[in-house]
Amino acid sequence: NLSCLREKGYEYIVSGKRQSRNEFYEDFCDINSFSVIKDREDKSPVFVKRYDTENELIVLCRSNNRKDKENAILSSAEEKFLKNIDEFNKKSAESKRRKNPEKVNKFIIKLTQKYSRASKYYNISYDETTQKISAIRNEDKYISHTNLLGCYFLRCSLKELPDEEVWKLYTTLTRVEKAFRCMKSELGLRPFRHHKESRCDAHAWITLLAYHLMRYIEYTLEQNSVQTTWKALKRLLQTHCYSTMIIPSKDGKIRRIRKAGKPDEKQRKIYRIFNINCKNLPVIKHTI
């Protein structure tokens, strides 16, 4: 993918492969050489470190919040992995029938695949005499891995950018992902119901236009000191609804008047930012 981007003349900022973090193990362990990202006083701190290569810029990142998350995932997987082994040994002790070694090996393979996050740090063996599985953790390998929890690195073709700017540009990806998650349900972005390429392209194009509209709304609110997301904005405005009044009259006619309700103060503030006059919202009248 990167070769294709370079051939087309595009610039890029991408996250490096998780398996490649070990190449920068010594750099990640040198915590004092990292600098903290500014303007994140109210959030979990993120630390960055610049690493220049011949062809691209690499930014090493450490996140405390991400470390806690990865540590919780690993601990949960390790707990379930060891629990399954204990349950197997307990059943073996209670059972009078001898276990088939071939079946035990299949069980071990299946278990290690299911909990691969934790099993790769254990040396697993089966004793046919006691019919028990033993799992001994490789402490050196485990400590080396835990030292890299919360660590990741970014690759960037724009070597003139500051390391903080690279990180901030990369985090915009999360905003795009959140937006498209909303569009998958609201605009039916996924799954595609079309069977012709031109219709699929048109559907994706409409969704892309919708994303730009969504981003314009969020950006306009940010410029007016309203920090919110599209999801929160929808939740705020969804209580301002239209109501239909049905009025029968003596002449046999039924009059239907559809009119907007009165917005609350928070809703009026949003409307003022976008120059929407709440008093002049459309009123629809029908006589039957």
Side-chain angles (χ1 to χ4, degrees), residues 34-48 162-165 167-168 171:
F34 283 76
S35 59
V36 66
I37 297 287
K38 298 177 182 178
D39 304 325
R40 286 183 59 86
E41 292 80 3
D42 57 335
K43 299 179 181 178
S44 177
V46 175
F47 304 89
V48 293
D163 43 5
E164 287 192 18
E165 187 66 22
W167 182 85
K168 289 178 180 179
T171 55

Side-chain angles (χ1 to χ4, degrees), residues 32-94:
N32 295 327
S33 62
F34 283 76
S35 59
V36 66
I37 297 287
K38 298 177 182 178
D39 304 325
R40 286 183 59 86
E41 292 80 3
D42 57 335
K43 299 179 181 178
S44 177
V46 175
F47 304 89
V48 293
K49 179 181 179 180
R50 191 181 188 87
Y51 191 95
D52 287 301
T53 65
E54 184 178 352
N55 299 321
E56 61 185 5
L57 165 65
I58 293 178
V59 178
L60 307 181
C61 308
R62 295 181 61 95
S63 169
N64 293 342
N65 194 23
R66 185 166 178 160
K67 181 178 181 179
D68 294 339
K69 182 180 178 181
E70 290 181 355
N71 190 38
I73 293 172
L74 176 60
S75 299
S76 177
E78 188 176 17
E79 182 181 349
K80 292 176 182 177
F81 172 68
L82 295 175
K83 183 179 179 181
N84 275 268
I85 292 177
D86 290 339
E87 289 177 353
F88 176 89
N89 292 336
K90 186 178 180 180
K91 290 179 181 178
S92 295
E94 295 173 351

Side-chain angles (χ1 to χ4, degrees), residues 173-220:
L173 178 64
T174 58
R175 184 174 63 216
V176 178
E177 288 172 340
K178 287 179 182 178
F180 276 84
R181 271 198 293 272
C182 293
M183 294 178 187
K184 282 182 180 180
S185 56
E186 294 165 14
L187 295 182
L189 175 60
R190 290 286 188 272
F192 274 105
R193 303 296 182 185
H194 308 292
H195 300 282
K196 293 184 178 181
E197 184 178 357
S198 59
R199 293 179 182 177
C200 293
D201 290 344
H203 188 92
W205 178 242
I206 290 171
T207 308
L208 186 61
L209 291 176
Y211 167 73
H212 283 285
L213 179 60
M214 180 188 297
R215 181 59 197 143
Y216 164 75
I217 292 171
E218 291 178 341
Y219 178 76
T220 304

Side-chain angles (χ1 to χ4, degrees), residues 162-275:
D163 43 5
E164 287 192 18
E165 187 66 22
V166 173
W167 182 85
K168 289 178 180 179
L169 281 171
Y170 180 74
T171 55
T172 59
L173 178 64
T174 58
R175 184 174 63 216
V176 178
E177 288 172 340
K178 287 179 182 178
F180 276 84
R181 271 198 293 272
C182 293
M183 294 178 187
K184 282 182 180 180
S185 56
E186 294 165 14
L187 295 182
L189 175 60
R190 290 286 188 272
F192 274 105
R193 303 296 182 185
H194 308 292
H195 300 282
K196 293 184 178 181
E197 184 178 357
S198 59
R199 293 179 182 177
C200 293
D201 290 344
H203 188 92
W205 178 242
I206 290 171
T207 308
L208 186 61
L209 291 176
Y211 167 73
H212 283 285
L213 179 60
M214 180 188 297
R215 181 59 197 143
Y216 164 75
I217 292 171
E218 291 178 341
Y219 178 76
T220 304
L221 292 171
E222 288 172 9
Q223 297 303 303
N224 287 272
S225 302
V226 179
Q227 297 295 330
T228 187
T229 62
W230 174 252
K231 188 176 181 180
L233 182 65
K234 280 203 315 169
R235 188 167 58 248
L236 173 65
L237 296 178
Q238 67 183 358
T239 55
H240 183 214
C241 306
Y242 265 77
S243 299
T244 302
M245 294 175 285
I246 303 174
I247 307 171
S249 55
K250 291 182 179 180
D251 58 5
K253 296 181 180 179
I254 298 176
R255 291 168 174 79
R256 293 176 178 264
I257 303 174
R258 186 160 177 78
K259 187 176 180 181
K262 289 185 178 181
D264 59 29
E265 182 56 37
K266 291 183 178 179
Q267 293 167 344
R268 285 198 294 270
K269 181 180 179 180
I270 299 297
Y271 292 145
R272 281 196 298 269
I273 291 173
F274 292 98
N275 297 319

